[in-house]
Amino acid sequence: MRVALTPFRLNFRDNRTRGILYQCLCVAGVAAGGFYLFSNVSQNLARQSIATGFSYLWREAGFVISQSPIDYQPSDSYAKALLVGILNTIRVSILASVLATIVGTLVGIGRLSSNPLLARLMLLYVEALRNVPLLLLLFLCYAVIVTILPPVRDAFQLLPFVFLSNSGLAVPSLEWSSDHTIIAAALVAGLGLAFLHARHLRRRRIESGADQSARPLVGALAIVPPALVWLVLRPELNLSLPELGRFRLAGGAHLTPEFVALLVGLALSASANVAEIVRSGILSIRKGQREAAAALGLRPSHIMRLVVLPQALRVIIPPMTSAYLNVFKNSSLAIAIGYPDVVMVSNTTMNQTGQAIEPIALFMLVYLSLSIAISLFMNWYNARVALRER
Amino acid sequence: MKSTWVKRFVFALLAACAVLGATAASAQQTLETVKKRGKLVCGVSMNVAGFAYADNKGVMQGFDADVCRAVAAAVFGAPDKVDFVLTNINTRFQALQSGEIDILSRQTTMTFSREASLGLDFGPTVFYDGQGIMVPAKLGVASAKELNDAAICILPGTTTLQNLADFFRANNGKFESVVFENPDELRNTFFSGRCDALSSDRSDLASIRAVAKNPADYVILPDTISKEPLAPAVRQGDDNWRDIVSFTAYGIIAAEEKGITQANIDEMAKSEDPEIQRMLGVTGDLGPMLGLDNKWLYNAVKGVGNYGEMFERNLGEKTALGLTRGPNNQWTNGGLLYAAPFR
């Protein structure tokens, strides 16, 4: 159908003209408001002789950040310190989201169990975690770790070279070199190839109906590339073992209590929400579907995995997006228990440079753009699993 | 209908602009604003024993609080005309810049970059401090240089953080920093043994040690790794207000030098010493030069006592902090306190 466009005439009695005019006024009003705020702020800052601008980003930060996924020294710039904060935020958010999804899905299914004890226990879990403010939960997790576990000199030795204390968990780690990175890359590439090949095989099987078993090839695709690279490079396998020095456990890999408390707190509180989302998704599938699947002779676990969950996913994904966004934004509470996330690094920067507006604007920008990225990804995934109407 | 909505929107926008415009406080007349309000608004620390803490009757006590009381007494003749605002370590400068408080009296170190780029003016140093390190006695550490690889609890965003990084860089050492924004959380984490050491200004360490279950379990190491001149700060651009704060502080210091105390001040007002006469407003017109009553300094000393009395009451050896005067003694006694002359 084509909409006939009437020629545009400047006539203020015409609704369409007025509509356009109002929209222009609206945009102009917002722009003027923004400009006013900006000029007011910069004028006032200049009048009080407070430094402005982003040049501080390239100055030496001069403070230590103890947990960093990349190499960071106090002599690096504020920009790099900020990057470390961003990476720390992303790391804890992703891990917490994954944990919350796994635990939440299990709890959500458990709530629908026909076993009354299990169902009630899960109900208790959900209600207890949903109704406690996250900040309290974080303080609780941190206090439990720091006060119940012994100081590092009396650390529990769980296994040889695995120590648990109120300074965290220390485990042996591989001394990583560039060779290892190459092997890891080869492993990822091999897994990717194997996955593509398996998908191709499945499609062929669905199209032709014949089972052309080629599983060994899939396995080989995953294993051969990293193994070949290994044989070529022959990397050294040196383990770094945690050993008690004068104060700390030196060597090995460490999980700090701040990180663990934040991860557990975020994951627990989000898992209660995820459980409710999963439960509502499952309940949205009509009983007839299960009964039909059962009539076909599927086992209960198969009914859940093959019939119910794929359909429930359509109901589950949109609210899950907001659950993940909440995990990401709530990770800013890290500052309360001393985990160096983007907010803590920004606050330190703010205090050392005395410039408040720029660091806050920067971390708002970080949260905004990463939140939008999460939303876009989840929308893409949602479109993929959406019911394809035929 | 649509047009009334638009009118409302435009109205709201204009109203918002008007409000924002009005918050741009004018810099030059702090004294006038304070007098009109009838109270001084003073930014202090949150719950630091000896410097600023609420006692069991809810009254703010401590050295920093008394500095504010002295200024209030100089302005109003009554030391209790102060409202205390608890300031966070991260928002303290913004509280001053935005005009929420008139004085920042919060164990704040005077530094070049703060003075140059924060829009602040610092008054005279009222407490000469230095950054120190406290460790549990059972660790058997004798010097900060032995702390390589230790975990150190610390507050964020202060000069402390950078000093410590500098100190370890200079000594080719490493440390794990455990950073807390909330001082209570910092204390509890340190007492729990999560960190091997705690670093802060020495006065602050004494104050933290004072609230430990058993203070003797902790020792403050002899190393002082930085200079921390703590001074009250005011907004830049109001010279008169800055003079009032500076000379109230100098006046309290000079009062000790001249032997004027809370108890004997009425006796001293009869003294023949011309400087004492000028200080206490018996002769001359020092007060009116600042826009204050001629009895301004009399009222300040009568209200809170001289520097020595303030120190002994809040921080001295008879208090839980048990600090000695050290550098915070009169220059005549080998200390660093040296007030400008009153003439």
Side-chain angles (χ1 to χ4, degrees):
Chain A
M1 196 181 82
R2 277 173 59 102
V3 180
L5 289 170
T6 48
F8 185 78
R9 235 179 277 128
L10 202 65
N11 175 4
F12 286 101
R13 289 175 183 280
D14 182 13
N15 258 346
R16 205 155 64 92
T17 319
R18 286 221 310 255
I20 292 172
L21 182 72
Y22 289 151
Q23 290 200 17
C24 291
L25 272 178
C26 215
V27 169
V30 170
F35 178 74
Y36 175 77
L37 287 178
F38 181 76
S39 59
N40 190 37
V41 163
S42 39
Q43 248 179 37
N44 278 340
L45 289 180
R47 201 162 42 83
Q48 298 184 1
S49 37
I50 298 167
T52 51
F54 286 96
S55 56
Y56 74 88
L57 277 175
W58 315 115
R59 266 184 256 147
E60 181 182 294
F63 59 93
V64 170
I65 304 177
S66 281
Q67 301 171 54
S68 168
I70 54 174
D71 187 39
Y72 166 85
Q73 300 298 329
S75 50
D76 287 329
S77 65
Y78 280 113
K80 191 156 181 199
L82 189 70
L83 179 67
V84 170
I86 295 173
L87 291 176
N88 277 338
T89 293
I90 293 177
R91 181 168 68 161
V92 79
S93 308
I94 289 181
L95 283 175
S97 299
V98 171
L99 264 183
T101 309
I102 296 170
V103 175
T105 307
L106 294 178
V107 171
I109 294 173
R111 271 207 67 184
L112 293 169
S113 161
S114 51
N115 179 341
L117 180 65
L118 181 65
R120 299 279 154 75
L121 272 178
M122 293 299 119
L123 175 70
L124 191 71
Y125 175 90
V126 168
E127 292 305 327
L129 287 174
R130 254 199 337 179
N131 295 311
V132 174
L134 178 56
L135 187 60
L136 287 187
L137 200 59
L138 291 179
F139 278 133
L140 180 74
C141 289
Y142 191 63
V144 164
I145 294 177
V146 170
T147 55
I148 293 187
L149 294 178
V152 72
R153 275 163 301 278
D154 317 316
F156 293 133
Q157 190 163 12
L158 303 179
L159 295 167
F161 300 110
V162 176
F163 297 95
L164 186 66
S165 70
N166 72 358
S167 299
L169 180 73
V171 294
S173 67
L174 193 64
E175 279 174 14
W176 201 261
S177 68
S178 56
D179 290 357
H180 297 106
T181 313
I182 296 170
I183 292 170
L187 184 67
V188 169
L191 284 176
L193 278 177
F195 174 76
L196 286 177
H197 186 63
R199 204 168 68 164
H200 171 70
L201 284 181
R202 203 175 62 211
R203 266 202 202 135
R204 273 235 314 252
R205 198 179 69 209
I206 291 171
E207 277 165 14
S208 67
D211 188 9
Q212 297 132 326
S213 185
R215 292 243 167 93
L217 182 61
V218 173
L221 274 175
I223 292 169
V224 170
L228 272 180
V229 177
W230 185 290
L231 288 175
V232 172
L233 292 174
R234 294 192 167 278
E236 286 184 34
L237 282 185
N238 287 332
L239 281 183
S240 159
L241 300 173
E243 269 171 306
L244 193 59
R246 175 144 185 218
F247 301 106
R248 301 278 105 187
L249 289 161
H254 295 253
L255 271 183
T256 64
E258 292 79 25
F259 174 75
V260 173
L262 181 64
L263 178 65
V264 171
L266 279 176
L268 285 185
S269 102
S271 72
N273 285 329
V274 170
E276 288 299 274
I277 293 170
V278 167
R279 187 174 70 103
S280 71
I282 293 174
L283 285 180
S284 74
I285 306 304
R286 288 200 193 158
K287 214 174 155 193
Q289 296 270 335
R290 294 158 190 260
E291 289 172 349
L296 286 174
L298 291 180
R299 275 185 272 142
S301 62
H302 280 162
I303 296 178
M304 187 55 82
R305 196 162 61 83
L306 298 173
V307 178
V308 178
L309 278 184
Q311 298 189 73
L313 223 47
R314 287 182 285 120
V315 182
I316 290 175
I317 299 297
M320 282 293 256
T321 309
S322 84
Y324 291 151
L325 285 177
N326 274 338
V327 170
F328 175 59
K329 287 180 289 186
N330 286 343
S331 70
S332 59
L333 289 173
I335 195 159
I337 53 169
Y339 177 71
D341 74 330
V342 63
V343 177
M344 180 182 268
V345 173
S346 298
N347 272 5
T348 304
T349 306
M350 210 188 312
N351 207 312
Q352 290 187 352
T353 60
Q355 290 177 238
I357 294 171
E358 292 86 350
I360 291 183
L362 270 185
F363 83 62
M364 277 169 63
L365 188 74
V366 167
Y367 275 104
L368 183 68
S369 43
L370 286 174
S371 290
I372 289 176
I374 295 174
S375 294
L376 285 178
F377 172 75
M378 290 301 283
N379 286 348
W380 167 80
Y381 185 64
N382 191 28
R384 236 179 75 97
V385 299
L387 191 64
R388 289 195 187 82
E389 294 186 22
R390 275 174 268 225
Chain B
M1 209 187 107
K2 216 175 188 180
S3 63
T4 54
W5 180 85
V6 170
K7 262 185 214 159
R8 256 185 234 159
F9 175 76
V10 172
F11 240 5
L13 200 72
L14 288 177
C17 293
V19 169
L20 282 163
T23 51
S26 43
Q28 203 40 267
Q29 326 109 343
T30 311
L31 179 62
E32 220 167 280
T33 317
V34 169
K35 275 184 170 165
K36 212 180 281 167
R37 196 192 299 126
K39 283 215 162 174
L40 179 75
V41 181
C42 168
V44 291
S45 306
M46 291 199 265
N47 195 17
V48 174
F51 284 87
Y53 63 99
D55 66 10
N56 51 19
K57 295 190 191 82
V59 181
M60 188 59 71
Q61 299 291 354
F63 187 83
D64 284 343
D66 281 351
V67 170
C68 291
R69 289 212 171 86
V71 176
V75 174
F76 296 111
D80 55 349
K81 295 209 166 177
V82 194
D83 275 345
F84 291 101
V85 171
L86 305 188
T87 50
N88 176 304
I89 200 157
N90 272 324
T91 54
R92 53 185 165 170
F93 299 123
Q94 279 78 32
L96 185 63
Q97 289 161 353
S98 67
E100 188 190 343
I101 55 178
D102 305 314
I103 305 180
L104 179 72
S105 175
R106 195 204 180 282
Q107 302 172 287
T108 300
T109 306
M110 181 197 316
T111 68
F112 176 90
S113 61
R114 282 176 178 171
E115 181 97 28
S117 73
L118 285 188
L120 309 177
D121 273 338
F122 283 97
T125 303
V126 291
F127 192 92
Y128 290 92
D129 211 338
Q131 185 173 342
I133 296 175
M134 177 158 71
V135 293
K138 62 171 193 264
L139 271 188
V141 174
S143 151
K145 290 191 180 135
E146 294 172 33
L147 285 171
N148 194 11
D149 278 330
I152 302 182
C153 279
I154 194 162
L155 286 172
T158 56
T159 43
T160 342
L161 210 53
Q162 283 170 317
N163 291 335
L164 200 60
D166 287 355
F167 176 79
F168 276 84
R169 268 158 83 184
N171 291 295
N172 289 322
K174 274 195 325 231
F175 71 102
E176 178 191 345
S177 72
V178 183
V179 180
F180 286 93
E181 184 136 296
N182 180 335
D184 294 328
E185 192 72 9
L186 179 83
R187 275 197 286 267
N188 294 336
T189 306
F190 172 64
F191 291 145
S192 79
R194 164 70 181 92
C195 307
D196 306 302
L198 178 113
S199 184
S200 187
D201 291 352
R202 300 184 74 86
S203 61
D204 196 36
L205 291 179
S207 147
I208 292 173
R209 188 167 172 264
V211 298
K213 210 179 282 167
N214 182 7
D217 287 348
Y218 299 95
V219 287
I220 298 174
L221 298 178
D223 315 64
T224 299
I225 65 174
S226 72
K227 291 187 289 185
E228 307 285 338
L230 308 185
V234 296
R235 271 183 299 282
Q236 218 169 63
D238 190 345
D239 299 340
N240 175 242
W241 183 244
R242 183 196 177 164
D243 291 346
I244 290 172
V245 172
S246 294
F247 275 88
T248 305
Y250 280 140
I252 300 281
I253 294 170
E256 188 188 20
E257 191 185 337
K258 292 280 177 191
I260 308 171
T261 66
Q262 214 168 357
N264 74 5
I265 188 164
D266 288 310
E267 292 294 307
M268 293 302 275
K270 295 173 197 143
S271 155
E272 296 294 316
D273 182 335
E275 189 170 10
I276 294 179
Q277 289 183 349
R278 280 195 296 272
M279 284 167 68
L280 299 183
V282 181
T283 58
D285 55 353
L286 295 187
M289 283 185 198
L290 292 175
L292 300 174
D293 188 85
N294 214 13
K295 287 260 180 199
W296 64 289
L297 194 53
Y298 172 90
N299 290 331
V301 176
K302 186 85 183 166
V304 299
N306 65 32
Y307 184 93
E309 290 175 290
M310 257 165 66
F311 190 99
E312 293 306 332
R313 183 167 63 233
N314 296 305
L315 312 166
E317 289 175 88
K318 292 195 185 104
T319 66
L321 272 73
L323 295 179
T324 54
R325 289 291 291 268
N328 295 296
N329 212 333
Q330 295 291 333
W331 64 287
T332 45
N333 291 336
L336 294 172
L337 296 178
Y338 188 92
F342 282 75
R343 62 172 69 257

